[in-house]
Amino acid sequence: MHKTRLIYLINPKADCFTSKPLILNKVLYSPLAGLLQIASLFPREKYELVLTDENIEPVDFELKCDLVCISAMTSYVKRGYEIADSFRRRNIPVIMGGVHPSFMPLETLQHADAVCVGEAEPVFGRILSDLEDNCLNGIYKADTSCDLCSLPSPRIDLIKRNRYINKTFIQTARGCPTACAFCAEHLMNGVKYRFRPIDDVVEEIRSCGDKSISINDVDVFSVKGRTKELLTALRPLNIKWQGAVSCRLAHDEELLELAAESGCNMLSIGFESISRKNLKSAHKMGNNPDTYARLIEKIHSYGMMVFGLFIFGFDSDDEDSFPETIKFAIDNKIDACGFSVMTPYPGTILFYRMLQEKRITSFDWDKYDQGFIVYESRGLPPEKLWEGHQAAYRNFYSYKSMLKRYPYLGKRSKTMWLLMNMFFRRGEVSGINVPEPIISDDTSLEFMPSVPITPLKEEWRNLIANASAVA
Ligand code: B12
């Protein structure tokens, strides 16, 4: 059948070492989940789809297409805007979506004809009919959250699979009740977990043909009963998987055993900080630093690796926080770590707090990649925060540390361990991704963010209103 429309899906390039082809011409991962998900919403018989991930290939600016779809996080939205401007100059309509456009729709509309705020599925029918009627325009935002019961599988057939180390991402749930101050998830997808039927998840994994997958959920161990069902259903698939879990249920031996039996080889954990005070300020209630060491040991005892995520620059952090955190991570043999500089992403509670306190020093979104310093920290001058962050990577991925942390005994995958450590060492220690500290750069905020889902906490609703008024 003749397809009537050509749709061009574009993931803009991010200046980030995890999405640079550093090893065997492959990138570690590219954040394509949103685009592949919306690709599945275009009826196949009518639309032909072309996808470019600019992290691995150039955008074809000459492509004669009927619509350009761009997805963006904050750190690469400016590149997304450049691409959008270029297609619109050729009178090709552009729609943007993803986390940044969802929180900054008015800004996005300076560069795109239309913007999708939050989940696309409930509004996609309207997007398609407006496209057909040549009147795609303005903000598309659903009134209610999407029912995940009949979610089509993402179009993984559209990507060049040999260019990614992690190429198959599966989402089994949306939403998060923890509602951390620095995170967008609860304001984008709500504070209630919404689950996909386990049969759909299993079918998606079976049909993707990949034996190694990542689960994209913010907390794979979300609710115990459902997690047990999920892990039991994964067991016969004979796959290897990795995913993120919160500290809350990660101690549960039954879940850990099931996770290991179902093929889990690595759990990512947002430890964020080894200071209770910091965790409290971030509303990260489920974390207790006193139990971290025991938790890591437990996960290791089941043959799974721990990918630890830490943030530097909390209000109670000082110069000692860096060596203390690194010592903790090395002594407890965390397998790999990601260290972030605190970043007030637009529309998060952290953003409004800092806006109200006039502590944001740059609104240049290119710098919002968790490596630059875009705010005034209470306990650390920007140079110290920058140096401490660089030193954290250098010391954690030093050969000395690697020798100490290497999993000589037990069932953890040595190949995967080496791959992760060499990738991060190559990216961070070699200086491929070493920004200079930013003290003051672009200090004007032209458009206020808006939150797709209003927080339940009255205190936060007031904060948003007051901070917006102050700005
Ligand atoms: C899994 C995940 C990842 C995975 C991505 C996996 C993948 N292949 O996509 C990995 C590990 C790679 C990752 C990396 C990073 N991540 Co991340 N990630 C997530 C997480 C937990 C889920 C994202 C996801 O898969 N969602 C599933 C898809 C289906 O949802 P979606 O993208 O929102 O898409 C839906 C809608 O937005 C919409 N949509 C999306 N795009 C488009 C486009 C159009 C045209 C339309 C119409 C609609 C539309 O339709 C989709 C279906 O409803 C989110 C949390 C969150 N709430 O988003 C954080 C999140 C997106 N990540 C975040 C960050 C900061 C990062 C990093 C920068 C961290 C770092 N310093 O390394 C990196 C960036 C990587 C890079 N190379 O650039 C932030 C982004 C904040 C911001 N404002 O930019 C989030 C929101 C978490 C947070 N802290 O709040 N991440």
Side-chain angles (χ1 to χ4, degrees):
M1 187 201 240
H2 178 65
K3 299 194 182 184
T4 51
R5 301 245 179 182
L6 181 67
I7 309 296
Y8 195 12
L9 306 153
I10 302 174
N11 180 50
K13 192 180 168 87
D15 188 16
C16 164
F17 80 92
T18 50
S19 48
K20 281 192 176 122
L22 288 185
I23 291 186
L24 303 171
N25 202 24
K26 291 175 194 269
V27 304
L28 189 58
Y29 38 53
S30 238
L32 293 168
L35 274 186
L36 299 183
Q37 196 62 48
I38 65 153
S40 71
L41 303 173
F42 285 97
R44 286 192 190 221
E45 61 290 356
K46 195 152 183 210
Y47 298 93
E48 187 181 340
L49 307 185
V50 174
L51 180 134
T52 290
D53 175 7
E54 211 192 357
N55 288 310
I56 59 156
E57 62 201 337
V59 172
D60 180 359
F61 284 101
E62 302 307 316
L63 189 72
K64 289 192 176 60
C65 49
D66 297 286
L67 175 69
V68 170
C69 297
I70 301 173
S71 184
M73 291 189 204
T74 301
S75 61
Y76 51 86
V77 74
K78 280 172 68 181
R79 176 63 188 152
Y81 291 156
E82 271 172 26
I83 296 170
D85 293 343
S86 164
F87 279 99
R88 284 179 86 206
R89 277 196 293 274
R90 289 173 49 212
N91 293 322
I92 297 174
V94 175
I95 180 164
M96 292 185 72
V99 61
H100 186 89
S102 292
F103 284 88
M104 297 295 293
L106 297 180
E107 176 190 275
T108 302
L109 284 176
Q110 304 295 299
H111 304 273
D113 299 273
V115 56
C116 171
V117 170
E119 293 173 290
E121 293 83 354
V123 289
F124 218 72
R126 200 149 60 79
I127 290 176
L128 287 179
S129 72
D130 286 357
L131 174 65
E132 290 306 312
D133 296 340
N134 293 321
C135 62
L136 191 69
N137 185 35
I139 294 176
Y140 293 81
K141 179 176 185 298
D143 298 329
T144 50
S145 295
C146 167
D147 174 4
L148 302 187
C149 278
S150 47
L151 214 57
S153 290
R155 291 281 308 272
I156 56 168
D157 55 296
L158 293 171
I159 65 169
K160 300 190 172 56
R161 297 173 63 75
N162 60 344
R163 299 294 310 280
Y164 304 93
I165 290 175
N166 294 308
K167 50 190 172 297
T168 306
F169 289 86
I170 307 279
Q171 190 181 39
T172 93
R174 291 184 189 168
C176 181
T178 310
C180 298
F182 52 78
C183 186
E185 177 69 12
H186 58 115
L187 303 165
M188 176 100 173
N189 286 317
V191 285
K192 250 184 91 172
Y193 288 121
R194 281 171 290 140
F195 297 113
R196 289 180 66 197
I198 288 172
D199 288 349
D200 288 8
V201 174
V202 168
E203 183 44 39
E204 192 169 307
I205 297 174
R206 271 193 213 286
S207 57
C208 79
D210 205 345
K211 284 291 178 194
S212 174
I213 64 161
S214 299
I215 299 184
N216 259 8
D217 302 0
V218 285
D219 183 0
V220 180
F221 284 0
S222 54
V223 170
K224 186 162 176 183
R226 197 264 180 181
T227 308
K228 278 169 67 177
E229 273 177 55
L230 174 71
L231 299 179
T232 308
L234 294 186
R235 204 161 35 185
L237 301 181
N238 199 19
I239 53 164
K240 292 288 175 211
W241 66 270
Q242 51 176 282
V245 291
S246 71
C247 290
R248 212 172 30 92
L249 277 178
H251 292 271
D252 190 296
E253 302 266 3
E254 200 182 358
L255 291 184
L256 288 176
E257 191 174 343
L258 278 173
E261 284 172 8
S262 66
C264 176
N265 49 19
M266 185 168 78
L267 292 176
S268 304
I269 300 189
F271 294 113
E272 322 302 1
S273 175
I274 54 170
S275 141
R276 258 172 203 279
K277 211 168 160 196
N278 284 339
L279 292 165
K280 192 159 176 255
S281 74
H283 203 249
K284 187 102 192 186
M285 302 310 194
N287 283 25
N288 175 1
D290 297 343
T291 62
Y292 286 176
R294 175 79 194 102
L295 175 59
I296 297 160
E297 201 186 318
K298 242 190 216 179
I299 297 174
H300 282 168
S301 75
Y302 285 96
M304 296 179 284
M305 295 187 359
V306 174
F307 185 69
L309 298 160
F310 292 91
I311 299 175
F312 291 121
F314 284 101
D315 284 352
S316 304
D317 277 345
D318 57 24
E319 284 184 52
D320 294 335
S321 306
F322 305 103
E324 281 167 14
T325 306
I326 299 315
K327 183 173 181 323
F328 170 84
I330 296 176
D331 286 353
N332 289 289
K333 300 186 169 44
I334 300 187
D335 303 276
C337 274
F339 302 105
S340 302
V341 169
M342 173 99 91
T343 304
Y345 283 107
T348 56
I349 298 305
L350 181 69
F351 177 89
Y352 288 109
R353 267 189 205 154
M354 291 202 175
L355 193 68
Q356 190 171 39
E357 294 164 5
K358 299 199 185 308
R359 288 169 63 194
I360 302 186
T361 52
S362 173
F363 294 105
D364 176 356
W365 305 136
D366 279 352
K367 308 291 187 305
Y368 280 59
D369 70 347
Q370 305 182 348
F372 289 99
I373 294 147
V374 295
Y375 75 104
E376 274 169 24
S377 143
R378 288 243 157 88
L380 286 157
E383 293 77 9
K384 293 288 173 207
L385 178 48
W386 181 75
E387 275 165 29
H389 179 241
Q390 299 303 319
Y393 270 109
R394 238 185 358 260
N395 296 334
F396 184 77
Y397 289 104
S398 70
Y399 285 127
K400 195 172 156 208
S401 152
M402 282 169 65
L403 280 172
K404 190 163 177 199
R405 295 184 290 106
Y406 186 76
Y408 299 98
L409 302 172
K411 285 195 282 186
R412 278 175 282 162
S413 160
K414 295 179 175 55
T415 318
M416 192 171 162
W417 193 98
L418 280 170
L419 190 70
M420 289 291 289
N421 277 271
M422 291 318 288
F423 208 99
F424 275 85
R425 203 189 135 76
R426 178 113 204 259
E428 294 290 354
V429 180
S430 61
I432 286 176
N433 209 37
V434 183
E436 290 299 318
I438 295 292
I439 297 151
S440 176
D441 189 35
D442 181 346
T443 53
S444 63
L445 177 66
E446 206 180 332
F447 297 95
M448 275 305 289
S450 48
V451 286
I453 296 179
T454 313
L456 293 176
K457 260 171 106 106
E458 195 186 350
E459 180 197 333
W460 286 358
R461 289 201 303 273
N462 292 339
L463 170 72
I464 293 173
N466 294 339
S468 307
V470 167

